[in-house]
Each structure stands twice: as C-alpha cells, then as structure tokens.
Amino acid sequence: MMRRLGIFAFFGVLLTLYVQLLGPVRQVMEQRPFVEKLGLIPHPQALKLLFPDFRALLGATILGRVTLYFGGLVEHFDDPRLLVKAVDYPAMSRAIHTAVKLDPYNMDAYYFGQAVLVWDVGKYRLANELLEYGMRYRNWDWQLPFFVGFNKAYFLGDLEGAAKMYMRAGELSGAAMFKTLAGRYLQEVGKTEMAIGYLETQLAGARIASVKKVLRLRLTAFKALRQIEEAVDGYRRRYGEWPLGLEDLTARGMLAEIPEDPYGGRFYLTEDHRVRTTSKFSLTLGAGKKKKVDVTPEETLRDD
Amino acid sequence: MTEISFPIKIHGLSKVYRGKKWQRVAALRQLELTVRSGEIFGFLGPNGAGKSTTIKTLVGLIRPTEGRVTLFGQPAGMAGARQRVGYLPENPAFPDTLTGREFLALVAHSFGLARQQGLMAAERVLDMLDLTTAAGRPIRSYSKGMVQRLGLAQTLLHDPDLYILDEPMSGLDPIGRALVKDIILDLKAKGKTVFFSTHVTADVERVCDRIGVIVGGVLQAQRDVAGLLREGVEGYFCRVSNCPDKVLQPFGYKGRDDVVQELFVPRDRFNDFASQLFRSGGSFDLVEPQRRDIENYFLSLVRQAGEL
Amino acid sequence: MTLLGATLKGIFRDRVFRGLLMVLVVFAAIPAVSTLSMRQVVSLCLTLCLSLSSLVLLVLALFLGGTVLWRDLDRRYCHALLSLPLSRERYLWERYAGIALFLGLSALVLGGMTWLVTSFVAAGYPPGRPILWTVVFGCIALDLLKCLLLVAFAFCFSAFSTSFFLPIFGTIAIYLVGGASQGVHDYLRSSAATDISLAVRRLADSLYYLLPNFSLFDIKLYAIYGLPLQTSQLLLSGGYFLVYTLLLLGLSGWIFARRQIP
Ligand SMILES: Nc1ncnc2c1ncn2[C@@H]1O[C@H](COP(=O)(O)OP(=O)(O)O)[C@@H](O)[C@H]1O
Ligand SMILES: [Mg+2]
C-alpha cells in the first residue's frame, strides 16, 4: 500500500514538474533572437561534403525553415514599418544562398528570393545574380528570366537587358505575351500597369499566407501609385498644364487625398512630372530608415 | 593407405593461442592420438586441459600451430572432411530466431540431404531426444538442457560415421545424462565411432572403450578401459564363515565377538587365502572386488603432471 | 533450408521488416509537408520520399551489415554453423545474399511507397515538368546498390574484427568518405586549391581511386527535377558496383577463411 502510494507520488511529482516546465520552455524559445530562431546554417560546402545524399533534403529543409520563420512574423505585416525591424533579412539571404548551393534546382529559393527578399531590401543586382545562377540549372524554366527581366526593366532601367530576358522567357514558355512586354516597358505609363500585372500574376500563384500578405501589401502600394499617376494625367488633360506638386491634385479636387505609401515613404512629383516615392517600395530604403541592411552572402555563387 | 581409414588421426599437434597483450598460451603440446573405427573414445581432462582446443582443431574452427590432423584421411579444416562428422560444440548455441525444426532443416541441407529425407531424419532425431513438442518454437525459448539436446539431435541427423562431442553431458539433468549414455552405446552397437570429451570420470566408465587423459595440454596416457578396470582391482572384500582366527590374522583381521567375519585381501594374496580357507573348512559368504577406479587413476595422472 | 533462407528468416523474425513498415507511416505525412513548398510541391515530395528511402536503406545496411556476422561470432552460432560441411566463403556469401535480398525487398517497398505518395501529390498539384519514373526508380535502385556496397564493406570489417565497433563505425566512415571523395577531388582540381601541397594532393588522389565513389550512385537531383539521364551512366554505376562488391566479398571470404574461431 505504501509502496503504491510512493510510486504514485513519484510519477505525480515528476509529471507536475514537467507540465510546469512547458510554459517557460515555450516562452524562452519564442523570445530567442531571430538568427537563433532561423537557425545557424552550416557552411553549404561542409554540408555537401558530409551529406551528399541529402543535399536536396537539406536545401528543402533550410527553405522550409525560412518559410516557417517568415510565416511566423505574419502579425507584423500589418505595419510594414515594424517588419523591417522584425525580420532578419541578412539571415534569410544567407539561408537562401546556402539552399541554392545545396540544391541549385530548388525553385522555392528563387521564388522566395524574388518575392520577398529583393523588393524589401532593394538589392536588385544581388537578386539577379541569384536568378541568373538558377537559370544555368533550371534552363527550362521561363519564370527565372521573367523575374530577371522585370528587375532589369523596373528597378535597374536596363531596358535592353530586360528585352533579352523577356525574349528568353518567351522562347521557354512558348507564350506570345513576353514578346510584347519589352516594348511596353519603354513607356513610363505602362510601367506601373505592368508592375501591377506582374504582382497580380505572382499573387495568383502564391500559396503561402505570409508571401501572399507581402505581395498584397506591394500591390496596394502600386495601386496607390497608379491612382496618383492617373490623377496627374487627368490634371494635365483638364488644365492643360502639369501639376507642380501633389498638393495641386488635392487642391483642385483631382484626388480627395494623397494615398499613403504603405512602405512608409512619401509620394512626390519629379521635375519631369513623374510620381515617385521616397521609400522606393522597399522597407529598408524607405523614408527615415537609416539602417542599412547587408544581405550579401559570404561567398559569390559559382558553378561547381 | 590403411591409416586413411582412421576416423581421427592427430600427429604432433601443438597449439599456441595469442592472447591479450601478445601473451602466448601453449594450449596443446605435441599431441599424438589415433581413434580407430567403431571405437568409443573418452577424452578426459580437467578444465583448461586443452580438450576443446583439440576438438576445435578437428572440426576446423582453429588451425594447428604445428602438426597434422586428419578425419578419415582428409585434412581437417577442409569443408569436405566434415561430411561424415557430427559435431556437438561445448555449450552449444544455435541461431535463436529459427525454430528447432528449421535449424535441423538447415543442417540437413548443408549435409546434402534431400528435402524429404531431411524432414524424416529431423522427426526421427527430434523424437529420439524428446524435442518433438518444442520443435516448432524458436530456439530462443529453449532451456539450456533443450539446446544441448538439440545439439545432439543435430549431430545424429545425417547418420554420420564419426561423432565428435565436446562435453555432451554438461548441462543435462540425470535423465538426460542417462539418455546420452544410451545413445552413445546405441551408436557403438551400430559400429559408429564416437570421440567425446568430459571432465567427469563417471561418464567414462560405462560407455568408453578407450580413454585418453590430457592434462596441461599434454596427453598423459591412453588406456583401454577394460584393462584399466581389470588392473584397477586392488584386492577383495570378503565375508567368510567357520574360519579359524589364525587363518585370518595374517590379513590383519582382529578377532571380533560377533559371528560375522569380514576382511580385506590384497589381489596378489587372494589365491593363497582362498586355499587356506578351504583347507581349514571355512567358506566364502561374499567376495567383492575392491578397485582403484578411473577417478583415482585420473587423479593420480593429474597429480603426476603436477597440476594438483 | 539454405543459410540464405535462414538469414532472411532471421531478419524477419527480428522484426526488422515490421520496423520498416512503421517507417512507412512517415510517408503518410509527406503530402502534408510537401504543401509547405511555395513553387515545387511535387519536387519537395520527391525530395522527401527519396531522402527517406535513402535514409532507411542506409540504416538497414549499417545495422544488418554490421551485426549479422558479429552476432554469429559473439553468440557463438559460428561454432555450430562453420563446423557443417560448408566452406567459410560460402557461409559469408550466403549471409550477404540474405541481407542483399532483404534490402532489395525493402527498396521495392520504399519505391512503391514513393510512387504512391508522389502520384497522390501530383494529382493535387500538377508538376511543372513531367515526373520521369524511370529516373525515380533508378535513383532508388542506385541507392540500393550503394547500400549493398556498404554491406560488403561491413562484412569485410566483420571478417577480422571481434566487436561490432569496427563494422559499424568503419562502415559509417566509408560512407562519409565515399560520399565526399568526389567533392574533395573536384575542389583540388579547381583554381581555389592551388596552394595545397603536393603530398596532400597525392594522398587525396590515392584515396579517391582506392575508396568507393558514392557520387556515382547519387542521381537524386535528376529524379527530383526530372532531368534526363543517360542509360550509360546507370550501366557504368552498375558495373562499378559489381566489380567493387565482388572484390570486397572475395577479400572478406579470403580473410574469414583464415580466421581462427576459438
Ligand atoms: N581463445 C583463447 N585465447 C587464449 N587462450 C585460450 C583460448 N581458448 C582457450 N585458451 C586456453 O587454452 C587452454 C585450453 O583450453 P580448452 O581447450 O578450452 O580447455 P578444456 O576444453 O579442456 O577445458 C586453457 O588454458 C585456456 O585458457
Ligand atoms: Mg572445454
């Protein structure tokens, strides 16, 4: 009888202690710094040498971790100003570069790099390097040249390079749509429209909630931009002259109010009557952000 | 060429084990031994004498450091030499995931028995060793004695001409020991050759034709058991009646009050005593030979070898 | 019953196959995990299936290859088995064949599971590129060959070792080195490695040619992304496996036949 009681007491005490520990354990794990949460990722070359059989699995695991990590920050997305503080972009960039070194065919890496990393941080050249690395392996995939072309045309102003990429995407997909894209980029008006089209395509294909949220945010920004651009055009048509500033649009009733840039920037009018935003649609380049985010990986990507 | 027919021929066998730290253990020294066809040979020796070493050399588990060992004229160590041999290892163990019956099927197959023949042989030996009920269970559920009996069954399976049994009686209860002795005698009746090791002298007396005593890796003696038993008689315990004390006194008899007259007469004086007894009108009620038994013989050899 | 049959039966009786079936439950989770992928659900599914198959075969190879001979010696089954009129080489090869057969069967089951799970996922998320089933099954087959080669190594180590330490950890070492050898070789050939001394290069080169090259058996990326594969590469891998394994088994037999079993 005493023995039985002793056994009950033994397991009872230990189980209670275990349950008591669960809360603190969860709290501590949730409050870890971001790098630790994302996990320190070993050097890709070392991983490749140690587990050559599992390189694809390791690549997928790293991306899975990035996706889960990014998805876990979804509550910050409502205020993008907080996002840049919450998200550890350099760590994500390193993880993505490690993943493509392990498995250069992994489309998730390129997609995530393009959809989230590039825009938010504004490293277009780095992004194109990543994508062009992927093009050497996924040589059947039209999406990669499509992304590169968009970055070149929209962000880097390299229309000739963009046209080449769209031709390549057209050849690979067999769709005629790309052939016309390069031409339309030559006009400023078409640019915003195309960006919206591009984002809407991406959004339609997106399946992960966090990515969807990011894309939707961006789409909102571009729709705001288009609204202002349309107002500027309308102003010119009605009054026969360009507005001197965006205040003219509200003053003369073309717009009820200037839409807000969800990236925390401020829309303004350039000398040549184009609408720009101080944030450049990037979280790190946005107004008031002095923080410089370095997402360059330790090593450049090269074939091996 | 007659030598070839000897079931076992060991010539100049020495074995040195290389133990830990390059230590060398001379387990056998210059062993000479021949076992003739149809013979039951008991290999007697204390623990660590080298019995198992000899036997493992015979079945090719270890190689001799020196010397030549043949089975029916074929060098031991070749797989073919074991075709006519049934071997029971010391403290045997068998793949314990198999059932007894499956293991016997494996043995039958390796001896080249046809399937049907193997099945029949298996049932025969299982029955002989009282394992039929357990035969369908995995060996891991067997008791020590059952495993030992399965080991014996396995040696009998293909009806070999030579049986090499390493301590066949160890791990068995008295009933099992009696069974094994009966089996060995049965094999003798069939003209088979049996070579078995033991450290228990009582096992030897009833069944062996010949014994070899090994102590400290050296074969001390080989003896014919019948001769040993005859020679071993040291005198007779006698109970006589109507005998005058003066006849008895030279044999150390001290007069006693009661009627029963008992005394010990050494072997070499027995004839003398008997004639005196009859002359004086006495008679024998009982005569019992008093022998120095194999146990004593064994102990004296061990003592000689300086191991006691 | 042959020793091969007994080996196979022993493995089943040790409930290894039941263990394998338990692992198959993990396959059921793969479709759900695959949907975590943003752009390549089927590829992720194949990655998971093939990696899991690879891992299971590897564990089986290490476990069975490293313990079967060792257990015979340690529990002294060898005394009963090797005193039968069965040559040591024959004993060793039949044991090997038993393990090989079991691994083959496991590969078949894993391949079936991969086919089942991937087909199911592909029905829900049509893949961008067609799945090349021959390459997928070829990938599992090559994984199997690699594991059989590892078992041969484990046997070679078991042939002279008394503990299971060398067979298991030696084989793990061979697995790691054999996997890395091509990578190291390529690195030493690249421009990044000009300052590495000649002695180190020589050593790496001799290891590269002496030890097995498991990169030859790794076509996972081909299978996952449906990249076309030349049949000649498969044939080359098969030939390499055959020659290397026969060499190892011959060597193991030679060593084991000379071994003392006291
Ligand atoms: N593997 C071994 N390594 C070293 N010494 C051994 C080994 N096997 C047996 N010996 C030694 O050889 C001698 C003979 O052993 P063994 O033949 O087993 O004796 P028995 O069977 O007569 O009891 C013993 O002294 C024993 O310690
Ligand atoms: Mg012994």
Side-chain angles (χ1 to χ4, degrees), chain C residues 137-193:
Chain C
F137 294 131
C139 174
I140 295 179
L142 286 187
D143 257 331
L144 172 67
L145 293 191
K146 185 190 66 194
C147 287
L148 293 182
L149 188 52
L150 282 173
V151 175
F153 263 105
F155 266 50
C156 210
F157 291 134
S158 302
F160 59 84
S161 155
T162 42
S163 80
F164 68 92
F165 230 68
L166 183 63
I168 297 233
F169 290 97
T171 310
I172 291 178
I174 293 284
Y175 168 75
L176 292 177
V177 175
S181 82
Q182 185 66 47
V184 171
H185 182 79
D186 291 345
Y187 175 73
L188 288 178
R189 287 276 168 291
S190 74
S191 54

Side-chain angles (χ1 to χ4, degrees), chain A residues 183-253:
Chain A
R184 289 170 74 178
Y185 263 117
L186 293 171
Q187 312 144 10
E188 178 70 17
V189 219
K191 204 167 155 180
T192 308
E193 200 59 47
M194 279 320 297
I196 289 171
Y198 166 87
L199 287 170
E200 273 172 344
T201 321
Q202 266 205 332
L203 188 58
R207 295 188 25 256
I208 306 291
S210 54
V211 175
K212 268 188 190 161
K213 215 155 183 176
V214 166
L215 290 175
R216 224 172 265 138
L217 179 73
R218 203 166 289 150
L219 201 52
T220 317
F222 275 85
K223 283 186 173 155
L225 177 64
R226 181 173 63 184
Q227 200 187 351
I228 301 173
E229 280 174 351
E230 277 168 355
V232 171
D233 284 349
Y235 186 96
R236 166 132 164 87
R237 251 181 277 122
R238 187 179 298 177
Y239 302 105
E241 54 170 18
W242 293 104
L244 294 175
L246 295 183
E247 316 75 54
D248 293 351
L249 298 175
T250 41
R252 287 183 141 178

Side-chain angles (χ1 to χ4, degrees), chain B:
Chain B
M1 287 306 278
T2 46
E3 167 189 298
I4 282 177
S5 62
F6 285 129
I8 296 177
K9 177 121 182 94
I10 298 172
H11 176 67
L13 174 65
S14 298
K15 177 69 196 175
V16 177
Y17 284 113
R18 246 166 305 172
K20 286 191 188 96
K21 296 181 206 150
W22 306 104
Q23 220 177 345
R24 291 156 68 87
V25 182
L28 291 177
R29 263 171 262 162
Q30 292 298 321
L31 197 73
E32 297 282 343
L33 188 72
T34 304
V35 176
R36 288 184 285 269
S37 192
E39 195 170 48
I40 310 289
F41 191 96
F43 200 37
L44 201 57
N47 290 325
K51 304 183 294 293
S52 298
T53 303
T54 310
I55 286 179
K56 282 174 194 163
T57 317
L58 283 174
V59 292
L61 288 171
I62 57 180
R63 268 174 299 129
T65 309
E66 242 177 66
R68 234 167 64 83
V69 181
T70 56
L71 301 174
F72 297 105
Q74 278 185 289
M78 281 171 46
R82 299 191 286 270
Q83 184 63 43
R84 291 166 69 187
V85 177
Y87 164 58
L88 172 70
E90 181 180 27
N91 303 322
F94 306 108
D96 63 3
T97 46
L98 300 180
T99 66
R101 198 171 271 124
E102 284 166 346
F103 178 67
L104 290 179
L106 175 64
V107 172
H109 178 84
S110 79
F111 279 105
L113 265 61
R115 205 180 130 72
Q116 202 54 41
Q117 203 184 348
L119 284 176
M120 273 162 54
E123 293 313 315
R124 180 175 56 83
V125 294
L126 283 170
D127 183 52
M128 197 188 284
L129 285 148
D130 200 18
L131 284 169
T132 311
T133 47
R137 282 192 326 208
I139 298 175
R140 64 168 59 134
S141 70
Y142 286 17
S143 72
K144 187 163 157 33
M146 285 161 81
V147 173
Q148 184 80 11
R149 276 184 282 149
L150 180 65
L152 271 164
Q154 162 252 168
T155 62
L156 295 164
L157 186 71
H158 60 298
D159 193 30
D161 298 315
L162 170 62
Y163 294 79
I164 299 176
L165 314 175
D166 200 348
E167 313 237 357
M169 267 85 104
S170 82
L172 292 177
D173 57 16
I175 303 166
R177 284 162 175 271
L179 181 67
V180 172
K181 281 184 193 170
D182 285 345
I183 287 173
I184 293 177
L185 288 172
D186 199 39
L187 291 173
K188 181 182 166 58
K190 284 194 202 151
K192 307 284 188 187
T193 311
V194 180
F195 178 88
F196 76 92
S197 76
T198 180
H199 61 268
V200 184
T201 50
D203 294 344
V204 171
E205 271 184 35
R206 239 188 80 202
V207 290
C208 288
D209 296 321
R210 227 149 51 89
I211 58 167
V213 178
I214 183 171
V215 183
V218 179
L219 191 65
Q220 306 290 337
Q222 286 186 70
R223 289 300 300 270
D224 193 36
V225 171
L228 193 65
L229 290 179
R230 214 178 318 115
E231 259 172 52
V233 176
E234 291 178 318
Y236 299 87
F237 170 81
C238 305
R239 187 184 296 162
V240 296
S241 41
N242 306 326
C243 187
D245 278 3
K246 73 169 183 0
V247 174
L248 302 178
Q249 262 149 12
F251 295 95
Y253 179 76
K254 305 195 177 51
R256 296 238 302 266
D257 305 335
D258 52 3
V259 205
V260 185
Q261 298 172 301
E262 286 176 342
L263 78 165
F264 176 78
V265 183
R267 192 166 68 134
D268 50 346
R269 294 170 67 190
F270 182 73
N271 289 346
D272 188 25
F273 171 72
S275 57
Q276 280 188 43
L277 176 72
F278 292 137
R279 249 183 274 132
S280 63
S283 64
F284 283 114
D285 286 347
L286 173 82
V287 179
E288 239 176 24
Q290 293 291 293
R291 51 167 71 107
R292 199 177 63 139
D293 58 10
I294 291 184
E295 178 91 35
N296 290 330
Y297 174 68
F298 176 58
L299 285 175
S300 73
L301 282 175
V302 173
R303 218 168 276 130
Q304 264 172 36
E307 298 251 324
L308 263 182

Side-chain angles (χ1 to χ4, degrees), chain A residues 9 47 58 64 80-81 182 193 200 233 238 244 262 267 283 299-300:
Chain A
L47 282 177
L58 288 169
R81 255 157 293 210
E193 200 59 47
E200 273 172 344
D233 284 349
R238 187 179 298 177
L244 294 175
F267 288 109
L283 291 167
E299 268 185 68
T300 50

Side-chain angles (χ1 to χ4, degrees), chain A residues 53 103 106 108 143 207, chain C residues 35 37 39-40 129 146 225:
Chain A
D53 269 354
D103 175 1
N106 197 321
D108 286 347
Q143 296 182 72
R207 295 188 25 256
Chain C
T35 57
S37 170
R39 275 297 153 114
Q40 46 167 27
R129 275 164 79 78
K146 185 190 66 194
Y225 297 103

Side-chain angles (χ1 to χ4, degrees), chain A residues 49-50 52-54 56-57 60 67-68 103 105-108 111-112 138 140 143 202 205 207-208 211, chain C residues 35-41 44 47-48 51 54 125 129 146 175-176 179-180 183 218 220-221 224-225 227:
Chain A
L49 280 182
L50 264 177
D53 269 354
F54 300 103
L57 178 70
T67 319
L68 288 179
D103 175 1
Y105 293 96
N106 197 321
M107 187 53 199
D108 286 347
Y111 178 73
F112 194 79
R138 298 182 65 89
W140 64 86
Q143 296 182 72
Q202 266 205 332
R207 295 188 25 256
I208 306 291
V211 175
Chain C
T35 57
L36 273 179
S37 170
M38 294 169 276
R39 275 297 153 114
Q40 46 167 27
V41 175
L44 181 57
T47 302
L48 295 173
S51 300
S54 201
Y125 302 88
R129 275 164 79 78
K146 185 190 66 194
Y175 168 75
L176 292 177
D218 183 17
K220 275 208 187 66
L221 289 180
I224 294 168
Y225 297 103
L227 310 177

Side-chain angles (χ1 to χ4, degrees), chain C residues 52-109:
Chain C
L52 184 59
S53 304
S54 201
L55 187 70
V56 170
L57 285 177
L58 178 67
V59 169
L60 286 176
L62 284 177
F63 169 69
L64 295 175
T67 61
V68 164
L69 283 195
W70 165 74
R71 193 150 62 153
D72 278 359
L73 288 159
D74 190 61
R75 300 209 188 149
R76 308 186 331 114
Y77 302 153
C78 262
H79 290 90
L81 294 174
L82 295 177
S83 55
L84 299 172
L86 187 80
S87 73
R88 299 261 182 107
E89 290 89 347
R90 178 81 188 277
Y91 157 83
L92 196 115
W93 296 334
E94 283 207 37
R95 281 287 198 218
Y96 180 81
I99 296 178
L101 220 60
F102 183 80
L103 284 181
L105 190 73
S106 309
L108 223 61
V109 171

